[in-house]
Amino acid sequence: MVKAIVGACWGDEGKGKITDMLAEKADIVIRFQGGSNAGHTIINDYGKFALHQMPSGVFNPNTVNIIGTGVAFNVPYFMKEMSYLVDNGIKNPKILISDRAQLLMPYHIAFDTYEEARLSDKQFGSTKSGIAPFYSDKYAKVGIQVCHLFHEAELMERIEAACTIKNVLLEHLYHQPTLDPKAIFDEVIQYRDMIAPYVVNTAEYLDKAIKEGKEILLEGQLGALKDPDHGIFPMTTSSSTLAGFAAVGAGIPARSIEKVYTVAKAYSSAVGGGAFVSEIFGDEAQELRVRGGDAGEFGATTGRPRRMGWFDCVATRYGCMMQGTTDVAFTAIDVLSYLDEIKVCVGYEIDGVVTKEFPVTPLLEKAKPVYETLEGWKCDVRGITDFNELPEKAQNYVTFVEKELGYPITIVSNGPKRSEIIYR
Ligand code: GDP
């Protein structure tokens, strides 16, 4: 069976934990989009890990982890993560890399930095991992695929073509040193030896695996609101974060995806700019940030303090809808245990009219939250594994949200560890 694990909102919902947990029984875990620009934090028997480019199935010795075609593949970063895993006792993680995945080039990172500097106070708050320049090149057809590393003449030709365009921008727009195609070739050709043992035709591999009925997980990065088509454009990422795209980015038939687990956190947090309707500030935000610990405090990639807010049913329902959710995994309810009362955003007021539909960005900027206030449960809920044993007010919180979303919450996560989970 093929299952996608994707985010409902801005990312940082706890997809890493859910993927790691489901990966215990998975034959294959696939990353299908994004790059090293967002992180997963995973706590399991081996310790605590922050992964960015690696699929979260690397901790299971029987799971094959695939870098899908849709990924922005940063080879040096990938090798760094591989050493980090091996140094921490993860022996020989099983990895396959799509021969059609495209390479994140050193100049993509440079361009990301130059462009943010040029935009100055209008910048996107990019992680400067080269993601936007990478996908721009891919769709402008000046990208370089993994397979080109094994065809030197074509590789050189493609680097020269890319440099011709880039050098004009470097000289006249950014006023930076120009690129030397030969130097880039010499650097990039070293990638070949690093990754050669892992490169395969993943489409054929997956076709066979699906026919054999293997358990396959598609691991999304960020969330629905960061999708460039359906999210809070332009404060989005540059590749699709939706389960619908997972089929494309992995290279499997769309109809093969049977389950979509959409991960939603029991409160909101976001890194980077953009409208955030249920955002809270000051001491109230700081308390939630600190209580959230790893789940709240800092972005896994940038270390930036996250923006905090109450749970947003409007945004999350929309996110679940766009993901084609079959199951909601509702995470981090333990973080809310300190609150006497918990606010939940159930509508947006825009120009005096209340709506439950997630609006386009210019209207989103104007939206004011409409809250309902629920009673807090005021006790520790970690360690509970049966939904009926949760305090009644915690159960109410979950069922209230479920009703607002209109999608079944079948997994409740009440702590960062793999075992801290309630199935409904
Ligand atoms: P992702 O971007 O969706 O993969 O988010 P992460 O995997 O980075 O998760 C954010 C943080 O939440 C990590 O530090 C996790 O360890 C933590 N986390 C996940 N689930 C829970 C939970 O149920 N409770 C608490 N307290 N933390 C959680």
Side-chain angles (χ1 to χ4, degrees):
M1 186 188 291
V2 183
K3 299 171 180 165
I5 300 149
V6 287
C9 296
W10 302 268
D12 298 322
E13 295 98 347
K15 293 177 296 293
K17 171 187 162 165
I18 303 295
T19 310
D20 174 57
M21 203 184 80
L22 294 174
E24 275 189 301
K25 293 204 185 89
D27 299 301
I28 299 168
V29 177
I30 312 172
R31 283 284 309 271
F32 61 85
Q33 47 96 206
S36 62
N37 55 323
H40 294 309
T41 310
I42 293 169
I43 302 171
N44 57 27
D45 296 345
Y46 299 98
K48 180 175 167 180
F49 296 87
L51 297 183
H52 300 90
Q53 182 91 84
M54 282 281 171
S56 296
V58 284
F59 302 100
N60 182 350
N62 301 316
T63 305
V64 173
N65 293 275
I66 295 183
I67 299 291
T69 312
V71 166
F73 187 45
N74 180 333
V75 176
Y77 202 100
F78 177 82
M79 296 315 294
K80 206 173 84 184
E81 279 199 344
M82 183 83 104
S83 316
Y84 162 66
L85 287 172
V86 173
D87 290 348
N88 285 282
I90 317 302
K91 302 269 177 277
N92 303 319
K94 283 192 190 154
I95 311 274
L96 295 177
I97 298 164
S98 164
D99 53 3
R100 284 189 158 85
Q102 296 208 6
L103 297 169
L104 191 122
M105 302 290 281
Y107 48 73
H108 290 137
I109 297 171
F111 270 76
D112 210 347
T113 310
Y114 299 152
E115 180 61 6
E116 286 284 280
R118 187 185 74 84
L119 290 171
S120 182
D121 60 342
K122 291 204 165 58
Q123 62 174 251
F124 287 95
S126 161
T127 59
K128 303 190 184 73
S129 313
I131 302 300
F134 168 90
Y135 284 105
S136 306
D137 277 4
K138 178 171 177 170
Y139 294 110
K141 297 174 283 189
V142 287
I144 295 168
Q145 291 184 316
V146 164
C147 59
H148 288 122
L149 293 174
F150 303 88
H151 299 276
E152 292 190 13
E154 285 87 347
L155 175 65
M156 191 62 202
E157 213 174 281
R158 297 207 61 78
I159 292 175
E160 279 172 346
C163 287
T164 304
I165 304 168
K166 296 195 182 300
N167 281 343
V168 176
L169 291 171
L170 286 169
E171 193 177 340
H172 298 289
L173 182 66
Y174 298 120
H175 311 294
Q176 295 288 342
T178 53
L179 301 170
D180 170 18
K182 179 71 175 67
I184 294 171
F185 178 90
D186 290 344
E187 183 175 350
V188 167
I189 202 71
Q190 295 176 37
Y191 296 175
R192 182 176 58 192
D193 298 335
M194 298 178 193
I195 62 171
Y198 312 114
V199 176
V200 296
N201 179 339
T202 49
E204 292 290 346
Y205 180 87
L206 288 168
D207 181 60
K208 191 159 164 274
I210 290 172
K211 286 176 178 149
E212 287 170 358
K214 295 270 200 264
E215 184 77 7
I216 299 173
L217 300 183
L218 299 159
E219 177 178 25
Q221 181 215 39
L222 299 169
L225 302 184
K226 292 284 188 180
D227 183 76
D229 282 82
H230 299 284
I232 53 172
F233 186 83
M235 303 309 280
T236 52
T237 192
S238 304
S239 64
S240 176
T241 54
L242 299 182
F245 179 78
V248 179
I252 59 172
R255 65 182 153 72
S256 61
I257 304 175
E258 288 181 52
K259 284 233 173 226
V260 177
Y261 289 92
T262 302
V263 186
K265 192 160 62 183
Y267 56 92
S268 300
S269 69
V271 191
F276 182 0
V277 178
S278 64
E279 185 167 9
I280 55 176
F281 304 91
D283 292 347
E284 196 179 35
Q286 184 57 15
E287 171 102 59
L288 184 56
R289 193 176 291 123
V290 171
R291 298 273 181 178
D294 284 343
E297 230 169 339
F298 298 109
T301 304
T302 56
R304 289 180 285 188
R306 291 192 178 122
R307 299 162 70 194
M308 309 302 292
W310 301 120
F311 188 79
D312 183 338
C313 296
V314 179
T316 312
R317 185 199 68 86
Y318 174 75
C320 287
M321 176 175 87
M322 297 319 300
Q323 293 291 15
T325 303
T326 60
D327 296 70
V328 177
F330 194 55
T331 61
I333 58 156
D334 54 296
V335 173
L336 301 179
S337 298
Y338 73 98
L339 289 159
D340 295 320
E341 290 183 331
I342 307 171
K343 282 192 190 157
V344 180
C345 175
V346 294
Y348 289 173
E349 191 194 313
I350 302 168
D351 295 333
V353 179
V354 174
T355 180
K356 284 184 186 277
E357 273 184 32
F358 191 77
V360 294
T361 309
L363 293 176
L364 184 68
E365 304 281 354
K366 296 205 245 172
K368 295 189 186 68
V370 177
Y371 287 119
E372 284 217 18
T373 303
L374 306 191
E375 284 181 68
W377 46 91
K378 298 285 288 178
C379 63
D380 189 9
V381 293
R382 289 181 70 171
I384 296 172
T385 53
D386 180 347
F387 187 73
N388 296 318
E389 281 170 22
L390 280 176
E392 200 184 335
K393 285 170 185 160
Q395 291 188 32
N396 286 347
Y397 187 74
V398 175
T399 50
F400 179 89
V401 165
E402 182 174 55
K403 192 153 165 273
E404 285 290 323
L405 298 183
Y407 295 89
I409 296 176
T410 60
I411 297 175
V412 177
S413 172
N414 54 343
K417 294 201 188 116
R418 217 188 238 185
S419 56
E420 292 175 310
I421 205 80
I422 299 169
Y423 290 99
R424 286 175 82 214

